[in-house]
Amino acid sequence: IGSFHHNLLAHCAGRNWSLASGLDGDNYYSGLLDIFNNVVYNWGHRATDGGAHEVNFVGNYYKKGVATTQSTILKAQLEGVGLGSQSYYYASNVVENTDGTYACDGTDNTCSRTYELSGGQILDWEVWVDEPFFPSDAVVDDAKDAFKFVLSDVGCTQPVFDDHDIRIIDETLNGTTSLKGSKTSIAGHPDHEADAGGWQAYPG
């Protein structure tokens, strides 16, 4: 089981997360993913997509930014490349709009999710299930609590708190951006390291 929890993904245009687990030796979908209590801010055209055999997707907090153009936070992509099934336990996820209101407040487990078929995939199973596939190996917090916990405890803090991490945490908290891409002019999404001040000169 791959477990990913209490992380901050900010100002990423896509792959927030991109799920993948491959096929086993008999060409069946495989892989178990436990994705919970992550914070995603100001994504662009892709939030979370891809697929695995069994996925718990619980208590994540997605906060839209000015660069966000996709409102669906989880798109299960059933691509017809293997045998067997790909299913999701999707629960208690929050989506915050740019004005501070909630598109999803965590109570409607059908909110901001979808699936798509391609590659001749025949859907003969239930994509969405009502119970988790497996227990988590860490405490699963309420999504709104997780937002506070994550922003209080992420980033490079030793030997000093990294300036860029401070900036990203502040922008996630306040719903702001402080830079834009030099080619695309997309707020918060640099196109080159120079757009974010360039490489820092750390002492040897």
Side-chain angles (χ1 to χ4, degrees), residues 174-186:
N174 297 310
T176 59
T177 62
S178 60
L179 54 86
K180 63 181 180 180
S182 55
K183 295 183 181 295
T184 62
S185 296
I186 296 176

Side-chain angles (χ1 to χ4, degrees), residues 72-92:
T72 302
I73 64 168
L74 177 61
K75 180 191 292 185
Q77 294 177 305
L78 313 177
E79 299 176 315
V81 297
L83 304 173
S85 61
Q86 295 178 296
S87 297
Y88 295 78
Y89 174 63
Y90 177 98
S92 305

Side-chain angles (χ1 to χ4, degrees), residues 112-171:
S112 199
R113 73 181 196 190
T114 191
Y115 69 85
E116 65 178 15
L117 302 174
S118 63
Q121 178 71 67
I122 302 300
L123 183 59
D124 55 4
W125 70 88
E126 294 294 329
V127 176
W128 312 110
V129 302
D130 295 328
E131 298 291 336
F133 292 105
F134 35 78
S136 297
D137 289 330
V139 174
V140 180
D141 299 306
D142 173 84
K144 294 178 183 178
D145 289 337
F147 180 81
K148 299 175 184 177
F149 297 156
V150 169
L151 294 188
S152 297
D153 195 34
V154 296
C156 178
T157 60
Q158 297 294 329
V160 295
F161 205 164
D162 183 83
D163 289 343
H164 287 297
D165 288 353
I166 292 172
R167 172 179 61 82
I168 290 170
I169 292 167
D170 285 344
E171 291 174 2

Side-chain angles (χ1 to χ4, degrees), residues 3-155:
S3 181
F4 303 89
H5 63 91
H6 294 92
N7 298 288
L8 171 61
L9 287 74
H11 303 314
C12 299
R15 297 176 180 246
N16 296 276
W17 312 73
S18 184
L19 311 178
S21 63
L23 307 174
D24 66 15
D26 295 316
N27 206 40
Y28 279 82
Y29 295 114
S30 64
L32 312 177
L33 297 176
D34 195 18
I35 299 174
F36 61 96
N37 288 161
N38 299 287
V39 175
V40 180
Y41 170 59
N42 196 39
W43 70 96
H45 62 284
R46 288 176 63 187
T48 300
D49 53 29
H53 176 48
E54 294 178 345
V55 180
N56 289 346
F57 193 86
V58 180
N60 299 289
Y61 196 106
Y62 282 66
K63 183 173 181 176
K64 296 179 182 180
V66 294
T68 301
T69 59
Q70 182 194 47
S71 294
T72 302
I73 64 168
L74 177 61
K75 180 191 292 185
Q77 294 177 305
L78 313 177
E79 299 176 315
V81 297
L83 304 173
S85 61
Q86 295 178 296
S87 297
Y88 295 78
Y89 174 63
Y90 177 98
S92 305
N93 298 290
V94 167
V95 181
E96 182 182 337
N97 295 315
T98 54
D99 64 0
T101 61
Y102 290 105
C104 306
D105 65 4
T107 61
D108 179 0
N109 291 335
T110 67
C111 187
S112 199
R113 73 181 196 190
T114 191
Y115 69 85
E116 65 178 15
L117 302 174
S118 63
Q121 178 71 67
I122 302 300
L123 183 59
D124 55 4
W125 70 88
E126 294 294 329
V127 176
W128 312 110
V129 302
D130 295 328
E131 298 291 336
F133 292 105
F134 35 78
S136 297
D137 289 330
V139 174
V140 180
D141 299 306
D142 173 84
K144 294 178 183 178
D145 289 337
F147 180 81
K148 299 175 184 177
F149 297 156
V150 169
L151 294 188
S152 297
D153 195 34
V154 296

